[in-house]
Amino acid sequence: LRISAGARSGPILSQRLVLGPGRYVLRFRSQGGPGRTVTLRWTFGCAASGASPVVADVPAGRVGWQESALQFTVPIQDCPIQRLALARPDAIHSPEVWVDDVRLEPATAR
């Protein structure tokens, strides 16, 4: 997915999910273009309850692909539908960024 600069507010992508309660890991690769470091903001939360979402700002790699992983938990109660969103908080003044190989999987106990 190529994301270029633009005067856009709100998420670039948003997906509703139906995950069972438990811990999950979101893994992805990112690469920024030349110039300033690009920040990707991932938000995960319960769609209906309005509970405080998990927000994670991750800088995209400037030289080559950077692997990243974010963990979050779906609560046992009041969260039958979740929302995962991607935004660029500094989109107006930053170069393009690429996001690839996005995977959402259950967290394994270690």
Side-chain angles (χ1 to χ4, degrees), residues 29-42:
R29 295 184 314 139
S30 61
Q31 179 176 343
R36 210 175 107 166
T37 299
V38 177
T39 299
L40 298 170
R41 176 170 290 162
W42 291 93

Side-chain angles (χ1 to χ4, degrees), residues 37-91:
T37 299
V38 177
T39 299
L40 298 170
R41 176 170 290 162
W42 291 93
T43 306
F44 177 85
C46 300
S49 70
S52 298
V54 174
V55 177
D57 287 346
V58 180
R62 288 182 55 195
V63 179
W65 290 96
Q66 173 180 308
E67 303 249 353
S68 299
L70 308 172
Q71 292 193 21
F72 56 88
T73 301
V74 175
I76 294 173
Q77 294 181 330
D78 301 326
C79 195
I81 300 172
Q82 306 85 37
R83 180 176 180 251
L84 178 66
L86 173 63
R88 286 182 50 191
D90 56 358

